[in-house]
Amino acid sequence: MQTVPHEGYGETWAKIILFGEHSVVYGHPALALPLHSLRMRARVRPVVGDSTLEGLGYHGSLKDSGGAFASVRRAIEVALDYAGAPGVSVAVETSSDFPPERGLGSSAASAGAVIRAILNAMDVSADGQRLFELTQQAERIAHGRPSGLDAVATAARGPIHFHSGRMRLVRMRLDAPIVVADSGVHGSTREAVSGVRVRYEHDHEGIGRILVGLGELARAAVRDVRVGDAHALGNKMNRAQVLLARLGVSDSRLDALTRAARQAGALGAKLTGGGLGGCVIAVAGSLADAARIRVALREAGAVRTWVHAPETTEVSV
Ligand code: MEV
């Protein structure tokens, strides 16, 4: 059995969605931020015999990895096909600074990193658009009908405005820290997205209005990050959280965390990503406020927090 000629490496990052989760699936705009300090790394080595996967909570033969790893298997397959080496064996190893199934983009980030590592091992180059398309093929297995926001945001150089499959980088003047808190509950984006679809089919008008409202907040928030208006941004986050709860993708724990953040002085707070578990984000007026918000979030049950300040992400375990 053939294998790759030499080792390869690829990396991507976690992301947070500031505005537009779920509504982006229906073609409305979204605003997202890559967290460059929270990395997903993939290494690929030549191997004799069957392909293997180590990481993402699995250790063993790729073919025995089961349904939970179908999207990583797809990422490996599409990368090898693209490199003109279908079916060759690889040993894939991933390591990540952030947890999976918490709305931080782990599935897109792992697919993107693995694809980059394989192409690197095969000495094949691909432009951003091609890497996006390959990642989307794995994301379709993970999420069904992904908007593409996660695949773009987990590989972006900076904050992005994403609309109808197109992205543009946004110059961000916001110097307000953003606290990210993990509720500790696994979220399933696939289930959250399909729940919204079912509700939309039953109540086209009502749910449609919520989706439009979320899209409008995302559009208007671009100005806030451009001019650095943290108060306006926080206010929109609070409004987005109300709409996301009405959409049925928040839960009591996420509601409690957003409340705790506001009570501790956050300018605004909302869930981020698919919801029904996962993470919340809160915008703070200063680093001192962020420290207080972080403590309050831990006391309210968050299992882990990070503070994203412009170009730094301080990690607390
Ligand atoms: C998940 O991170 C974001 C969603 O909007 C799904 C998608 O964009 O495909 C919930």
Side-chain angles (χ1 to χ4, degrees):
M1 204 179 262
Q2 277 188 313
T3 187
V4 288
H6 55 75
E7 290 189 11
Y9 178 75
E11 66 179 26
T12 50
W13 307 281
K15 63 85 181 111
I16 49 173
I17 299 177
L18 294 176
F19 292 95
E21 48 273 276
H22 289 289
S23 44
V24 69
V25 175
Y26 296 81
H28 298 290
L31 188 58
L33 197 63
L35 300 180
H36 288 144
S37 304
L38 299 181
R39 279 168 201 257
M40 173 70 73
R41 305 170 193 83
R43 287 188 175 76
V44 163
R45 285 182 288 104
V47 68
V48 178
D50 287 342
S51 289
T52 57
L53 173 65
E54 255 180 73
L56 303 168
Y58 182 78
H59 175 90
S61 162
L62 192 65
K63 65 175 163 36
D64 300 330
S65 57
F69 299 92
S71 78
V72 184
R73 284 200 301 276
R74 182 80 181 130
I76 294 169
E77 186 183 54
V78 297
L80 289 171
D81 282 356
Y82 179 72
V88 309
S89 291
V90 281
V92 175
E93 198 186 303
T94 66
S95 69
S96 171
D97 298 334
F98 58 102
E101 296 174 344
R102 304 298 212 286
L104 298 179
S106 176
S107 71
S110 53
V114 165
I115 288 164
R116 284 165 174 77
I118 289 178
L119 298 188
N120 181 234
M122 296 294 300
D123 299 313
V124 169
S125 60
D127 63 15
Q129 179 61 25
R130 185 51 62 117
L131 289 166
F132 167 74
E133 283 159 12
L134 293 172
T135 306
Q136 274 294 84
Q137 292 193 49
E139 277 288 89
R140 279 186 203 109
I141 305 282
H143 291 175
R145 290 171 60 190
S147 65
L149 177 60
D150 288 11
V152 169
T154 53
R157 280 184 290 117
I160 55 158
H161 180 245
F162 184 86
H163 195 187
S164 304
R166 292 224 163 125
M167 80 103 161
R168 88 191 135 77
L169 286 166
V170 176
R171 189 194 300 225
M172 181 149 153
R173 291 226 173 74
L174 193 79
D175 57 4
I178 296 171
V179 183
V180 184
D182 179 3
S183 69
V185 178
H186 290 233
S188 163
T189 300
R190 178 184 271 277
E191 274 169 36
V193 167
S194 71
V196 171
R197 172 129 349 248
V198 169
R199 283 190 283 285
Y200 184 56
E201 275 159 15
H202 283 95
D203 179 12
H204 227 71
E205 217 174 291
I207 298 295
R209 258 198 309 274
I210 297 174
L211 297 171
V212 168
L214 287 166
E216 278 167 359
L217 287 171
R219 189 175 293 114
V222 173
R223 174 234 160 234
D224 300 340
V225 299
R226 278 214 180 111
V227 303
D229 190 340
H231 282 87
L233 191 83
N235 185 276
K236 289 185 183 70
M237 277 188 184
N238 290 339
R239 286 158 60 197
Q241 176 61 20
V242 171
L243 294 178
L244 288 163
R246 280 172 47 201
L247 206 55
V249 295
S250 192
D251 61 23
S252 56
R253 209 183 280 228
L254 297 175
D255 290 342
L257 289 176
T258 55
R259 259 197 314 274
R262 283 183 213 113
Q263 277 161 11
L267 303 174
K270 62 181 276 293
L271 66 83
T272 185
L276 297 179
C279 289
V280 302
I281 54 173
V283 63
S286 65
L287 277 172
D289 286 354
R292 269 192 298 279
I293 293 163
R294 197 171 181 176
V295 171
L297 284 163
R298 295 295 288 260
E299 283 170 4
V303 297
R304 195 178 334 199
T305 59
W306 300 266
V307 175
H308 173 83
E311 287 324 311
T312 62
T313 301
E314 186 195 329
V315 182
S316 125
V317 278

mmCIF file of all heavy atoms in Angstrom, residues 234-279:
data_model
loop_
_atom_site.group_PDB
_atom_site.id
_atom_site.type_symbol
_atom_site.label_atom_id
_atom_site.label_comp_id
_atom_site.label_asym_id
_atom_site.label_seq_id
_atom_site.Cartn_x
_atom_site.Cartn_y
_atom_site.Cartn_z
ATOM 1 N N GLY A 234 -22.305 45.758 22.291
ATOM 2 C CA GLY A 234 -22.865 45.000 23.409
ATOM 3 C C GLY A 234 -24.378 45.023 23.389
ATOM 4 O O GLY A 234 -25.033 43.992 23.608
ATOM 5 N N ASN A 235 -24.930 46.180 23.115
ATOM 6 C CA ASN A 235 -26.381 46.313 23.025
ATOM 7 C C ASN A 235 -26.947 45.365 21.946
ATOM 8 O O ASN A 235 -27.955 44.686 22.168
ATOM 9 C CB ASN A 235 -26.672 47.780 22.702
ATOM 10 C CG ASN A 235 -28.147 48.055 22.693
ATOM 11 O OD1 ASN A 235 -28.798 47.824 21.690
ATOM 12 N ND2 ASN A 235 -28.659 48.518 23.822
ATOM 13 N N LYS A 236 -26.289 45.303 20.833
ATOM 14 C CA LYS A 236 -26.756 44.412 19.754
ATOM 15 C C LYS A 236 -26.614 42.946 20.170
ATOM 16 O O LYS A 236 -27.420 42.094 19.802
ATOM 17 C CB LYS A 236 -25.980 44.677 18.464
ATOM 18 C CG LYS A 236 -26.336 46.014 17.826
ATOM 19 C CD LYS A 236 -25.645 46.196 16.497
ATOM 20 C CE LYS A 236 -25.946 47.568 15.923
ATOM 21 N NZ LYS A 236 -25.302 48.688 16.646
ATOM 22 N N MET A 237 -25.562 42.645 20.927
ATOM 23 C CA MET A 237 -25.387 41.255 21.401
ATOM 24 C C MET A 237 -26.577 40.848 22.270
ATOM 25 O O MET A 237 -27.101 39.741 22.143
ATOM 26 C CB MET A 237 -24.109 41.125 22.224
ATOM 27 C CG MET A 237 -22.872 40.943 21.397
ATOM 28 S SD MET A 237 -21.500 40.576 22.524
ATOM 29 C CE MET A 237 -20.175 40.532 21.350
ATOM 30 N N ASN A 238 -26.972 41.750 23.162
ATOM 31 C CA ASN A 238 -28.130 41.441 24.024
ATOM 32 C C ASN A 238 -29.384 41.210 23.187
ATOM 33 O O ASN A 238 -30.161 40.280 23.448
ATOM 34 C CB ASN A 238 -28.370 42.585 25.019
ATOM 35 C CG ASN A 238 -27.270 42.656 26.067
ATOM 36 O OD1 ASN A 238 -26.574 41.674 26.299
ATOM 37 N ND2 ASN A 238 -27.116 43.821 26.686
ATOM 38 N N ARG A 239 -29.554 42.046 22.161
ATOM 39 C CA ARG A 239 -30.748 41.879 21.309
ATOM 40 C C ARG A 239 -30.663 40.573 20.514
ATOM 41 O O ARG A 239 -31.658 39.877 20.324
ATOM 42 C CB ARG A 239 -30.891 43.083 20.386
ATOM 43 C CG ARG A 239 -31.392 44.306 21.185
ATOM 44 C CD ARG A 239 -31.062 45.614 20.519
ATOM 45 N NE ARG A 239 -31.637 45.764 19.190
ATOM 46 C CZ ARG A 239 -31.225 46.669 18.299
ATOM 47 N NH1 ARG A 239 -30.245 47.501 18.590
ATOM 48 N NH2 ARG A 239 -31.806 46.748 17.133
ATOM 49 N N ALA A 240 -29.461 40.237 20.074
ATOM 50 C CA ALA A 240 -29.287 38.980 19.322
ATOM 51 C C ALA A 240 -29.610 37.782 20.213
ATOM 52 O O ALA A 240 -30.234 36.809 19.773
ATOM 53 C CB ALA A 240 -27.863 38.873 18.783
ATOM 54 N N GLN A 241 -29.206 37.876 21.497
ATOM 55 C CA GLN A 241 -29.473 36.748 22.404
ATOM 56 C C GLN A 241 -30.979 36.533 22.577
ATOM 57 O O GLN A 241 -31.451 35.395 22.616
ATOM 58 C CB GLN A 241 -28.781 36.983 23.753
ATOM 59 C CG GLN A 241 -29.067 35.932 24.819
ATOM 60 C CD GLN A 241 -28.615 34.516 24.431
ATOM 61 O OE1 GLN A 241 -27.770 34.344 23.546
ATOM 62 N NE2 GLN A 241 -29.182 33.510 25.080
ATOM 63 N N VAL A 242 -31.739 37.627 22.664
ATOM 64 C CA VAL A 242 -33.199 37.509 22.779
ATOM 65 C C VAL A 242 -33.743 36.775 21.539
ATOM 66 O O VAL A 242 -34.562 35.847 21.642
ATOM 67 C CB VAL A 242 -33.852 38.913 22.919
ATOM 68 C CG1 VAL A 242 -35.367 38.824 22.811
ATOM 69 C CG2 VAL A 242 -33.445 39.557 24.240
ATOM 70 N N LEU A 243 -33.275 37.170 20.382
ATOM 71 C CA LEU A 243 -33.766 36.554 19.138
ATOM 72 C C LEU A 243 -33.333 35.085 19.042
ATOM 73 O O LEU A 243 -34.119 34.224 18.615
ATOM 74 C CB LEU A 243 -33.259 37.336 17.921
ATOM 75 C CG LEU A 243 -33.810 38.765 17.775
ATOM 76 C CD1 LEU A 243 -33.202 39.458 16.557
ATOM 77 C CD2 LEU A 243 -35.332 38.757 17.650
ATOM 78 N N LEU A 244 -32.100 34.796 19.456
ATOM 79 C CA LEU A 244 -31.621 33.403 19.392
ATOM 80 C C LEU A 244 -32.427 32.517 20.340
ATOM 81 O O LEU A 244 -32.727 31.359 20.018
ATOM 82 C CB LEU A 244 -30.119 33.353 19.717
ATOM 83 C CG LEU A 244 -29.214 33.930 18.616
ATOM 84 C CD1 LEU A 244 -27.816 34.239 19.157
ATOM 85 C CD2 LEU A 244 -29.126 32.976 17.424
ATOM 86 N N ALA A 245 -32.788 33.078 21.516
ATOM 87 C CA ALA A 245 -33.620 32.310 22.455
ATOM 88 C C ALA A 245 -34.989 32.053 21.830
ATOM 89 O O ALA A 245 -35.532 30.945 21.906
ATOM 90 C CB ALA A 245 -33.747 33.062 23.774
ATOM 91 N N ARG A 246 -35.538 33.059 21.147
ATOM 92 C CA ARG A 246 -36.846 32.863 20.495
ATOM 93 C C ARG A 246 -36.758 31.865 19.340
ATOM 94 O O ARG A 246 -37.732 31.198 19.000
ATOM 95 C CB ARG A 246 -37.388 34.205 20.007
ATOM 96 C CG ARG A 246 -38.023 34.971 21.175
ATOM 97 C CD ARG A 246 -38.425 36.376 20.868
ATOM 98 N NE ARG A 246 -39.172 36.564 19.643
ATOM 99 C CZ ARG A 246 -39.260 37.729 18.999
ATOM 100 N NH1 ARG A 246 -38.647 38.794 19.456
ATOM 101 N NH2 ARG A 246 -39.961 37.816 17.908
ATOM 102 N N LEU A 247 -35.584 31.768 18.771
ATOM 103 C CA LEU A 247 -35.357 30.791 17.699
ATOM 104 C C LEU A 247 -35.274 29.364 18.254
ATOM 105 O O LEU A 247 -35.339 28.385 17.514
ATOM 106 C CB LEU A 247 -34.036 31.162 17.002
ATOM 107 C CG LEU A 247 -33.791 30.778 15.563
ATOM 108 C CD1 LEU A 247 -34.902 31.277 14.650
ATOM 109 C CD2 LEU A 247 -32.448 31.350 15.101
ATOM 110 N N GLY A 248 -35.082 29.262 19.560
ATOM 111 C CA GLY A 248 -35.040 27.941 20.202
ATOM 112 C C GLY A 248 -33.653 27.338 20.287
ATOM 113 O O GLY A 248 -33.520 26.125 20.486
ATOM 114 N N VAL A 249 -32.577 28.147 20.140
ATOM 115 C CA VAL A 249 -31.229 27.564 20.167
ATOM 116 C C VAL A 249 -30.439 27.916 21.431
ATOM 117 O O VAL A 249 -29.281 27.524 21.562
ATOM 118 C CB VAL A 249 -30.407 27.929 18.902
ATOM 119 C CG1 VAL A 249 -31.045 27.323 17.668
ATOM 120 C CG2 VAL A 249 -30.258 29.440 18.737
ATOM 121 N N SER A 250 -31.086 28.684 22.355
ATOM 122 C CA SER A 250 -30.426 28.900 23.634
ATOM 123 C C SER A 250 -30.935 27.824 24.605
ATOM 124 O O SER A 250 -31.779 26.998 24.234
ATOM 125 C CB SER A 250 -30.734 30.307 24.173
ATOM 126 O OG SER A 250 -29.869 30.596 25.251
ATOM 127 N N ASP A 251 -30.414 27.802 25.792
ATOM 128 C CA ASP A 251 -30.953 26.898 26.816
ATOM 129 C C ASP A 251 -30.753 27.569 28.173
ATOM 130 O O ASP A 251 -30.170 28.660 28.251
ATOM 131 C CB ASP A 251 -30.314 25.497 26.749
ATOM 132 C CG ASP A 251 -28.818 25.522 26.987
ATOM 133 O OD1 ASP A 251 -28.319 26.487 27.609
ATOM 134 O OD2 ASP A 251 -28.130 24.584 26.568
ATOM 135 N N SER A 252 -31.225 26.935 29.238
ATOM 136 C CA SER A 252 -31.229 27.621 30.529
ATOM 137 C C SER A 252 -29.797 27.955 30.984
ATOM 138 O O SER A 252 -29.546 28.990 31.577
ATOM 139 C CB SER A 252 -31.948 26.774 31.577
ATOM 140 O OG SER A 252 -31.338 25.515 31.633
ATOM 141 N N ARG A 253 -28.858 27.082 30.658
ATOM 142 C CA ARG A 253 -27.491 27.332 31.102
ATOM 143 C C ARG A 253 -26.873 28.530 30.348
ATOM 144 O O ARG A 253 -26.212 29.379 30.934
ATOM 145 C CB ARG A 253 -26.647 26.081 30.872
ATOM 146 C CG ARG A 253 -25.528 25.975 31.875
ATOM 147 C CD ARG A 253 -24.694 24.801 31.588
ATOM 148 N NE ARG A 253 -25.295 23.577 32.088
ATOM 149 C CZ ARG A 253 -24.622 22.686 32.794
ATOM 150 N NH1 ARG A 253 -23.361 22.892 33.086
ATOM 151 N NH2 ARG A 253 -25.198 21.581 33.187
ATOM 152 N N LEU A 254 -27.108 28.559 29.038
ATOM 153 C CA LEU A 254 -26.574 29.682 28.253
ATOM 154 C C LEU A 254 -27.241 30.990 28.680
ATOM 155 O O LEU A 254 -26.588 32.028 28.790
ATOM 156 C CB LEU A 254 -26.789 29.437 26.751
ATOM 157 C CG LEU A 254 -26.066 28.217 26.165
ATOM 158 C CD1 LEU A 254 -26.445 28.007 24.702
ATOM 159 C CD2 LEU A 254 -24.554 28.364 26.288
ATOM 160 N N ASP A 255 -28.567 30.932 28.934
ATOM 161 C CA ASP A 255 -29.272 32.140 29.409
ATOM 162 C C ASP A 255 -28.657 32.608 30.724
ATOM 163 O O ASP A 255 -28.413 33.800 30.919
ATOM 164 C CB ASP A 255 -30.761 31.843 29.649
ATOM 165 C CG ASP A 255 -31.510 31.619 28.340
ATOM 166 O OD1 ASP A 255 -30.981 32.018 27.286
ATOM 167 O OD2 ASP A 255 -32.610 31.035 28.386
ATOM 168 N N ALA A 256 -28.409 31.653 31.640
ATOM 169 C CA ALA A 256 -27.865 32.015 32.957
ATOM 170 C C ALA A 256 -26.469 32.621 32.814
ATOM 171 O O ALA A 256 -26.130 33.588 33.503
ATOM 172 C CB ALA A 256 -27.820 30.779 33.855
ATOM 173 N N LEU A 257 -25.659 32.069 31.919
ATOM 174 C CA LEU A 257 -24.299 32.607 31.738
ATOM 175 C C LEU A 257 -24.346 34.023 31.157
ATOM 176 O O LEU A 257 -23.592 34.902 31.593
ATOM 177 C CB LEU A 257 -23.477 31.680 30.833
ATOM 178 C CG LEU A 257 -23.074 30.333 31.453
ATOM 179 C CD1 LEU A 257 -22.352 29.461 30.428
ATOM 180 C CD2 LEU A 257 -22.173 30.535 32.677
ATOM 181 N N THR A 258 -25.238 34.252 30.202
ATOM 182 C CA THR A 258 -25.299 35.606 29.618
ATOM 183 C C THR A 258 -25.780 36.602 30.680
ATOM 184 O O THR A 258 -25.281 37.718 30.764
ATOM 185 C CB THR A 258 -26.209 35.670 28.370
ATOM 186 O OG1 THR A 258 -27.511 35.170 28.705
ATOM 187 C CG2 THR A 258 -25.649 34.883 27.211
ATOM 188 N N ARG A 259 -26.722 36.163 31.526
ATOM 189 C CA ARG A 259 -27.211 37.043 32.615
ATOM 190 C C ARG A 259 -26.080 37.359 33.594
ATOM 191 O O ARG A 259 -25.879 38.509 33.975
ATOM 192 C CB ARG A 259 -28.342 36.347 33.377
ATOM 193 C CG ARG A 259 -29.732 36.831 32.977
ATOM 194 C CD ARG A 259 -30.775 36.441 34.014
ATOM 195 N NE ARG A 259 -30.693 35.075 34.479
ATOM 196 C CZ ARG A 259 -31.267 34.024 33.879
ATOM 197 N NH1 ARG A 259 -31.947 34.192 32.763
ATOM 198 N NH2 ARG A 259 -31.143 32.811 34.378
ATOM 199 N N ALA A 260 -25.343 36.319 33.972
ATOM 200 C CA ALA A 260 -24.244 36.509 34.932
ATOM 201 C C ALA A 260 -23.211 37.483 34.366
ATOM 202 O O ALA A 260 -22.682 38.337 35.082
ATOM 203 C CB ALA A 260 -23.590 35.169 35.246
ATOM 204 N N ALA A 261 -22.928 37.369 33.079
ATOM 205 C CA ALA A 261 -21.945 38.272 32.460
ATOM 206 C C ALA A 261 -22.434 39.716 32.519
ATOM 207 O O ALA A 261 -21.682 40.629 32.881
ATOM 208 C CB ALA A 261 -21.693 37.852 31.006
ATOM 209 N N ARG A 262 -23.716 39.912 32.204
ATOM 210 C CA ARG A 262 -24.256 41.292 32.229
ATOM 211 C C ARG A 262 -24.246 41.845 33.648
ATOM 212 O O ARG A 262 -23.881 42.999 33.870
ATOM 213 C CB ARG A 262 -25.685 41.307 31.677
ATOM 214 C CG ARG A 262 -25.706 41.209 30.176
ATOM 215 C CD ARG A 262 -27.140 41.289 29.645
ATOM 216 N NE ARG A 262 -27.240 40.466 28.466
ATOM 217 C CZ ARG A 262 -27.953 39.352 28.361
ATOM 218 N NH1 ARG A 262 -28.691 38.929 29.367
ATOM 219 N NH2 ARG A 262 -27.930 38.661 27.244
ATOM 220 N N GLN A 263 -24.651 41.004 34.601
ATOM 221 C CA GLN A 263 -24.672 41.472 36.001
ATOM 222 C C GLN A 263 -23.271 41.849 36.475
ATOM 223 O O GLN A 263 -23.112 42.704 37.335
ATOM 224 C CB GLN A 263 -25.272 40.398 36.914
ATOM 225 C CG GLN A 263 -26.803 40.441 36.903
ATOM 226 C CD GLN A 263 -27.417 39.128 37.400
ATOM 227 O OE1 GLN A 263 -26.731 38.274 37.939
ATOM 228 N NE2 GLN A 263 -28.726 38.987 37.197
ATOM 229 N N ALA A 264 -22.265 41.200 35.907
ATOM 230 C CA ALA A 264 -20.883 41.504 36.309
ATOM 231 C C ALA A 264 -20.311 42.673 35.504
ATOM 232 O O ALA A 264 -19.126 42.966 35.605
ATOM 233 C CB ALA A 264 -20.015 40.261 36.134
ATOM 234 N N GLY A 265 -21.150 43.302 34.695
ATOM 235 C CA GLY A 265 -20.707 44.522 34.008
ATOM 236 C C GLY A 265 -20.463 44.390 32.511
ATOM 237 O O GLY A 265 -19.989 45.349 31.891
ATOM 238 N N ALA A 266 -20.778 43.227 31.926
ATOM 239 C CA ALA A 266 -20.572 43.095 30.474
ATOM 240 C C ALA A 266 -21.464 44.089 29.740
ATOM 241 O O ALA A 266 -22.598 44.342 30.149
ATOM 242 C CB ALA A 266 -20.890 41.669 30.030
ATOM 243 N N LEU A 267 -20.955 44.624 28.649
ATOM 244 C CA LEU A 267 -21.747 45.563 27.843
ATOM 245 C C LEU A 267 -22.778 44.815 27.010
ATOM 246 O O LEU A 267 -23.728 45.416 26.505
ATOM 247 C CB LEU A 267 -20.807 46.353 26.919
ATOM 248 C CG LEU A 267 -19.684 47.114 27.634
ATOM 249 C CD1 LEU A 267 -18.731 47.743 26.629
ATOM 250 C CD2 LEU A 267 -20.281 48.175 28.558
ATOM 251 N N GLY A 268 -22.591 43.512 26.883
ATOM 252 C CA GLY A 268 -23.535 42.676 26.156
ATOM 253 C C GLY A 268 -23.051 41.248 26.151
ATOM 254 O O GLY A 268 -21.850 40.998 26.331
ATOM 255 N N ALA A 269 -23.970 40.302 25.989
ATOM 256 C CA ALA A 269 -23.580 38.888 25.986
ATOM 257 C C ALA A 269 -24.574 38.088 25.176
ATOM 258 O O ALA A 269 -25.759 38.417 25.122
ATOM 259 C CB ALA A 269 -23.515 38.361 27.422
ATOM 260 N N LYS A 270 -24.092 37.035 24.565
ATOM 261 C CA LYS A 270 -24.948 36.152 23.755
ATOM 262 C C LYS A 270 -24.273 34.794 23.617
ATOM 263 O O LYS A 270 -23.069 34.663 23.888
ATOM 264 C CB LYS A 270 -25.210 36.747 22.373
ATOM 265 C CG LYS A 270 -23.938 36.925 21.542
ATOM 266 C CD LYS A 270 -24.217 37.538 20.191
ATOM 267 C CE LYS A 270 -24.655 36.517 19.143
ATOM 268 N NZ LYS A 270 -23.602 35.560 18.754
ATOM 269 N N LEU A 271 -25.034 33.824 23.157
ATOM 270 C CA LEU A 271 -24.418 32.539 22.808
ATOM 271 C C LEU A 271 -23.635 32.740 21.514
ATOM 272 O O LEU A 271 -23.850 33.718 20.791
ATOM 273 C CB LEU A 271 -25.484 31.453 22.665
ATOM 274 C CG LEU A 271 -26.514 31.542 21.528
ATOM 275 C CD1 LEU A 271 -25.976 30.999 20.214
ATOM 276 C CD2 LEU A 271 -27.759 30.772 21.894
ATOM 277 N N THR A 272 -22.756 31.809 21.196
ATOM 278 C CA THR A 272 -22.024 31.881 19.933
ATOM 279 C C THR A 272 -21.965 30.500 19.295
ATOM 280 O O THR A 272 -21.795 29.498 19.998
ATOM 281 C CB THR A 272 -20.602 32.455 20.143
ATOM 282 O OG1 THR A 272 -19.978 32.625 18.868
ATOM 283 C CG2 THR A 272 -19.722 31.561 21.019
ATOM 284 N N GLY A 273 -22.183 30.435 17.969
ATOM 285 C CA GLY A 273 -22.174 29.149 17.278
ATOM 286 C C GLY A 273 -23.565 28.547 17.251
ATOM 287 O O GLY A 273 -24.570 29.246 17.384
ATOM 288 N N GLY A 274 -23.625 27.243 17.134
ATOM 289 C CA GLY A 274 -24.913 26.562 16.958
ATOM 290 C C GLY A 274 -25.843 26.658 18.161
ATOM 291 O O GLY A 274 -27.057 26.610 18.032
ATOM 292 N N GLY A 275 -25.291 26.776 19.365
ATOM 293 C CA GLY A 275 -26.123 26.867 20.572
ATOM 294 C C GLY A 275 -26.534 25.498 21.089
ATOM 295 O O GLY A 275 -25.918 24.483 20.739
ATOM 296 N N LEU A 276 -27.582 25.480 21.968
ATOM 297 C CA LEU A 276 -28.020 24.242 22.640
ATOM 298 C C LEU A 276 -26.814 23.577 23.311
ATOM 299 O O LEU A 276 -26.512 22.400 23.044
ATOM 300 C CB LEU A 276 -28.714 23.294 21.661
ATOM 301 C CG LEU A 276 -30.013 23.834 21.046
ATOM 302 C CD1 LEU A 276 -30.612 22.817 20.079
ATOM 303 C CD2 LEU A 276 -31.034 24.195 22.126
ATOM 304 N N GLY A 277 -26.143 24.341 24.145
ATOM 305 C CA GLY A 277 -24.850 23.946 24.698
ATOM 306 C C GLY A 277 -23.791 24.817 24.053
ATOM 307 O O GLY A 277 -24.111 25.750 23.315
ATOM 308 N N GLY A 278 -22.544 24.533 24.360
ATOM 309 C CA GLY A 278 -21.461 25.309 23.758
ATOM 310 C C GLY A 278 -21.115 26.540 24.561
ATOM 311 O O GLY A 278 -21.173 26.522 25.791
ATOM 312 N N CYS A 279 -20.754 27.608 23.870
ATOM 313 C CA CYS A 279 -20.161 28.783 24.527
ATOM 314 C C CYS A 279 -21.028 30.029 24.461
ATOM 315 O O CYS A 279 -21.893 30.145 23.591
ATOM 316 C CB CYS A 279 -18.827 29.113 23.856
ATOM 317 S SG CYS A 279 -17.517 27.930 24.199
#
